[in-house]
């Protein structure tokens, strides 16, 4: 076994990199085909979720495999190799098995213990089988991972520690309220009709929302999901609309959940602002929220606060802090206000703050340095990370529209943070929140299960590795018996058939008894760590032809492929 994993996840890379590296379905298929075309790989599978992209392969050379898989991952993700490399992790052989089993159990998920990953692993296996890129190793590995994940959920309380991203996201939107209390009577808009969107719609219906509107590019799928929700017995009204009705539905919705496969934004900040404005009847702009200075309270800005000299001097047009007589302008405590701005604009503002009169700022050098650092961050990472440390709109009770973005790359413009009355929870904020989530006591039990299963899988694979050698040995022994019986027939042509059969059976029993102990023992030894050398020793001791051993392996692979094809065409037949 030479299993290699190259990937990146929410644990190794920022969300901004993950969303840029996200692979669409057709890109995943092309990646798998290119991996098999590369020299080091014999099998390949891709596990791509909203917070991980991992490439699994059976390789014959470690270093060449790492280089090739990393290069192909960069090419197909569209992120340059030099930029992607610092975020990649590599696992090999038993460590690779341990990693996938941990992933299957939810130990490596953003929300520990969530069970959706099992469906995603199943989809990854089905995709590689459909494309014929998975052979014996990856078939065995992924099927065993599914069994390990199910075992962890059935034998431990890991479900108590984990929940789906949908549930966790809704809890973040609900704040200190129970989700059922927060959701009761609300109108919900669900954009997308895939597995994650369907789960979101069902969860909202069970939580007690009054209405769920499903929008999808394929209207038939939206109708099917709406029918399922309406027949669910929750009392929730459900209906379907085409995607071009999303803007209109935003004016009515209290909460919107989006999870599509779109490569661009589904909800722009301007569209969300327009939806909120239509509801309130007042114009809403995507501006920078005012940030009170220490020891002051927020108040509407006055003409004195935002005089023409201050507005003209500040390149961003940011208003004061609401304190009469002071035009402090922008404070770095509100760095979420500049989410999405480019480095050049930030540098302009840093210079303005640095040169501003002392009356305009409390600590000009600190502020200018921090904004310069933000400019460097956006130049490296693509955008400014939003600051979510300030009190949420949920806590202040001013939410007009709650948004949950579960897509990767993101569906909802991060700039909606700057719209008064809008609260956004996305993959990035979920990652931050889950970092502080308590671990369940059962997590240690799951880790023990994973360790046991990794050892068992490794032993089974090592034992399977020696099987062609054992089969070749027994084949050679059978040939020896057949040749000796043929020579006996030549010397004793008149030997009665009864006596000949008895002699043949006796010789076969002798050979079987002589081979029984060494073949059983070599299988036991081969299943232990470092046992791969016993196959070589067996081939050397009995002078087995390597071509014969290879022929047995090829025959096994042909039979395996035949069984897989049969299982795909015959639903009543299981996979080998």
């Amino acid at each position: 076994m030479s299993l290699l994993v190259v990937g990146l996840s929410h644990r190794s890379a920022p969300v901004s990199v993950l969303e840029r590296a996200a692979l669409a379905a057709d890109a995943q298929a092309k990646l798998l085909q290119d991996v098999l075309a590369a020299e080091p790989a014999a099998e390949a599978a891709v596990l791509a979720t909203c917070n991980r992209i991992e490439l699994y392969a059976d390789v014959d050379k470690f270093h060449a495999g790492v280089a090739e898989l990393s290069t192909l991952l960069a090419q197909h993700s569209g992120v340059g190799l030099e930029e992607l490399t610092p975020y990649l992790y590599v696992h090999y052989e038993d460590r690779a098995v341990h990693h996938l089993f941990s992933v299957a159990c939810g130990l490596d998920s953003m929300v520990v213990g969530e069970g959706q990953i099992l469906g995603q692993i199943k989809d990854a296996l089905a995709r590689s089988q459909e494309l014929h890129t998975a052979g014996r190793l990856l078939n065995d590995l992924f099927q065993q991972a599914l069994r390990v994940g199910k075992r962890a959920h059935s034998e431990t309380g890991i479900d108590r520690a984990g929940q789906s991203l949908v549930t966790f996201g809704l809890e973040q939107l609900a704040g200190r309220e129970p989700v059922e209390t927060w959701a009761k009577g609300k109108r919900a808009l669900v954009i997308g009709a895939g597995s994650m969107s369907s789960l979101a719609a069902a969860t909202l219906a069970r939580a007690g929302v009054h209405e769920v509107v499903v929008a999808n590019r394929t209207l038939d799928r939206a109708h099917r999901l709406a029918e399922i929700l309406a027949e669910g017995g929750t009392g929730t009204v459900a209906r379907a609309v085409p995607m071009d009705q999303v803007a209109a539905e935003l004016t009515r919705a209290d909460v919107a959940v989006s999870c599509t496969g779109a490569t661009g934004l589904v909800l722009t900040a301007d569209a969300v602002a327009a939806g909120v404005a239509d509801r309130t009847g007042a114009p809403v702009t995507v501006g920078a929220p005012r940030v009170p200075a220490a020891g002051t309270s927020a108040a509407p800005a006055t003409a004195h606060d935002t005089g023409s000299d201050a507005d003209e001097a500040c390149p961003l047009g940011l208003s004061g802090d609401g304190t009469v007589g002071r035009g402090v302008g922008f404070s770095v405590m509100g760095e979420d206000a500049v989410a999405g701005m480019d480095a050049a604009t930030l540098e302009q503002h840093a210079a303005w703050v640095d040169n501003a009169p002392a009356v305009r700022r409390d600590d000009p050098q600190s502020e200018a340095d921090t904004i310069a650092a933000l400019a460097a961050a956006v130049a490296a990472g693509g955008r400014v990370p939003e600051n979510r440390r300030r009190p949420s709109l949920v806590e202040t009770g001013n939410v007009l529209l709650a948004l949950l973005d579960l897509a990767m790359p993101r569906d909802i413009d991060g700039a909606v943070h700057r719209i008064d009355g809008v609260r956004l929870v996305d993959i990035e904020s979920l990652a931050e929140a889950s970092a502080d989530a308590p671990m369940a006591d059962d997590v240690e039990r799951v880790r023990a299960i994973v360790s046991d299963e990794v050892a068992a899988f490794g032993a089974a694979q090592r034992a399977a590795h020696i099987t062609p050698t054992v089969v070749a040995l027994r084949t050679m022994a059978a040939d020896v018996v057949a040749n000796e019986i043929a020579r006996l027939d030549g010397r004793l042509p008149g030997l009665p058939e009864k006596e000949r059969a008895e002699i043949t059976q006796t010789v076969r029993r002798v050979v079987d008894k002589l081979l029984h102990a060494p073949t059983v023992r070599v299988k036991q030894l081969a299943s232990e760590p470092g046992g791969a050398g016993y196959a070589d020793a067996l081939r050397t001791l009995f002078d087995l032809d390597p071509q014969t051993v290879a022929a047995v392996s090829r025959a096994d692979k042909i039979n395996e492929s035949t069984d897989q094809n049969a299982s795909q065409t015959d639903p009543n037949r299981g996979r080998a």
Side-chain angles (χ1 to χ4, degrees):
M1 176 182 64
S2 299
L3 178 65
L4 176 65
V5 180
V6 177
L8 67 159
S9 74
H10 65 99
R11 294 186 182 275
S12 69
V15 173
S16 58
V17 174
L18 279 174
E19 69 176 349
R20 290 169 55 209
L23 296 172
D26 55 346
Q28 293 177 39
K30 186 66 168 63
L31 172 60
L32 289 175
Q33 293 166 355
D34 286 353
V35 169
L36 283 196
E39 181 180 343
E43 304 178 30
V46 173
L47 178 58
T49 72
C50 59
N51 52 32
R52 76 177 63 250
I53 304 165
E54 296 177 344
L55 184 54
Y56 292 75
D58 181 10
V59 298
D60 56 5
K61 299 174 183 177
F62 172 74
H63 294 291
V66 171
E68 190 67 33
L69 266 58
S70 301
T71 300
L72 289 173
L73 200 55
Q75 289 177 355
H76 288 272
S77 68
V79 180
L81 182 59
E82 290 186 0
E83 182 181 358
L84 191 65
T85 298
Y87 304 114
L88 293 177
Y89 47 76
V90 174
H91 299 296
Y92 191 55
E93 296 190 331
D94 283 354
R95 289 302 307 169
V97 177
H98 189 281
H99 175 72
L100 181 59
F101 287 4
S102 297
V103 169
C105 294
L107 293 180
D108 197 61
S109 295
M110 186 178 294
V111 181
V112 173
E114 61 93 8
Q116 286 174 280
I117 188 63
L118 286 175
Q120 293 160 337
I121 291 174
K122 185 177 180 180
D123 291 342
L125 174 60
R127 184 185 306 109
S128 61
Q129 289 175 335
E130 180 181 352
L131 295 172
H132 306 289
T133 63
R136 167 170 290 176
L137 174 60
L138 292 186
N139 271 292
D140 289 349
L141 175 68
F142 275 70
Q143 289 175 8
Q144 185 65 20
L146 292 172
R147 287 190 286 268
V148 173
K150 292 175 182 177
R151 179 188 170 194
H153 284 280
S154 64
E155 295 184 11
T156 74
I158 191 69
D159 289 323
R160 294 193 297 269
Q163 49 199 326
S164 71
L165 277 179
V166 171
T167 305
F168 191 58
L170 293 178
E171 286 186 354
Q172 297 305 303
L173 287 177
R176 297 174 182 174
E177 286 186 288
V179 172
E180 291 75 13
T181 304
W182 168 80
K184 189 173 180 61
K186 281 183 166 57
R187 291 187 174 92
L189 170 63
V190 176
I191 305 174
S195 58
M196 189 78 80
S197 298
S198 299
L199 178 60
T203 303
L204 286 166
R206 288 195 300 269
V209 295
H210 170 69
E211 180 185 47
V212 174
V213 178
V214 182
N216 194 57
R217 285 184 172 82
T218 305
L219 190 57
D220 287 344
R221 294 189 65 184
H223 278 301
R224 285 198 295 272
L225 177 54
E227 290 173 359
I228 293 172
L229 295 173
E231 297 169 357
T234 61
T236 299
V237 177
R239 56 190 178 89
V241 298
M243 286 293 289
D244 59 12
Q245 294 297 311
V246 166
E249 294 298 333
L250 275 179
T251 65
R252 305 175 63 252
D254 301 301
V255 55
V257 180
S258 186
C259 186
T260 72
T263 55
L265 293 176
V266 175
L267 291 181
T268 64
D270 288 338
V272 174
V276 175
D278 287 345
R279 181 179 312 176
T280 60
V284 178
T285 59
V286 186
R290 289 185 289 275
V291 181
T296 66
S297 58
T302 65
H304 187 84
D305 297 318
T306 57
S308 60
D309 59 336
D311 287 342
E312 291 174 1
C314 176
L316 299 187
L318 299 176
S319 61
D321 72 341
T323 304
V324 175
R326 298 180 61 196
V328 174
F330 174 74
S331 168
V332 295
M333 292 178 62
E335 63 198 59
D336 55 331
V338 294
M341 292 183 182
D342 58 37
T345 305
L346 284 167
E347 288 170 354
Q348 280 186 338
H349 186 63
W352 175 78
V353 171
D354 194 29
N355 296 319
V359 71
R360 272 211 187 115
R361 64 251 195 312
D362 295 325
D363 187 356
Q365 187 58 50
S366 173
E367 188 162 323
D369 290 346
T370 304
I371 298 175
L374 286 173
V378 73
R383 66 185 181 85
V384 176
E386 295 86 353
N387 180 7
R388 297 181 176 85
R389 292 172 300 204
R390 63 192 179 101
S392 71
L393 290 168
V394 172
E395 295 171 332
T396 60
N398 296 325
V399 175
L400 297 175
L401 178 61
L403 301 172
L404 177 58
D405 186 356
L406 298 173
M408 183 63 68
R410 67 181 65 205
D411 280 347
I412 303 176
D413 191 347
V416 301
H417 278 298
R418 305 200 298 271
I419 303 175
D420 288 336
V422 174
R423 161 75 165 157
L424 171 65
V425 169
D426 56 14
I427 294 296
E428 189 169 14
S429 57
L430 287 176
E432 294 173 1
S434 65
D436 299 326
M439 301 283 283
D441 293 338
D442 294 86
V443 167
E444 288 303 322
R445 291 180 57 199
V446 173
R447 287 175 176 157
I449 289 175
V450 168
S451 296
D452 291 345
E453 292 285 355
V454 169
F457 183 83
Q461 290 297 312
R462 287 187 290 269
H465 178 72
I466 203 171
T467 297
T469 301
V470 172
V471 171
L473 174 61
R474 290 192 172 276
T475 300
M476 183 194 74
D479 290 342
V480 170
V481 170
N483 291 335
E484 290 302 318
I485 295 300
R487 192 168 68 168
L488 179 64
D489 289 341
R491 291 184 175 183
L492 301 174
L495 187 66
E497 184 60 31
K498 183 176 180 181
E499 283 77 0
R500 181 184 181 280
E502 185 61 32
I503 292 172
T504 301
Q505 187 63 25
T506 299
V507 174
R508 286 176 177 167
R509 280 198 299 266
V510 170
V511 171
D512 286 343
K513 287 183 178 181
L514 287 173
L515 292 181
H516 176 73
T519 53
V520 170
R521 184 59 179 153
V522 78
K523 286 183 178 181
Q524 294 172 342
L525 293 171
S527 66
E528 298 174 359
Y534 288 102
D536 295 333
L538 202 62
R539 288 193 293 270
T540 301
L541 287 172
F542 288 92
D543 195 22
L544 298 177
D545 183 2
Q547 296 301 321
T548 303
V549 178
V552 174
S553 298
R554 286 195 298 271
D556 287 344
K557 289 182 179 180
I558 292 172
N559 292 334
E560 174 195 356
S561 177
T562 303
D563 289 340
Q564 288 178 17
N565 292 335
S567 69
Q568 292 172 359
T569 56
D570 183 359
N572 296 318
R573 179 171 180 172
R575 292 190 179 97

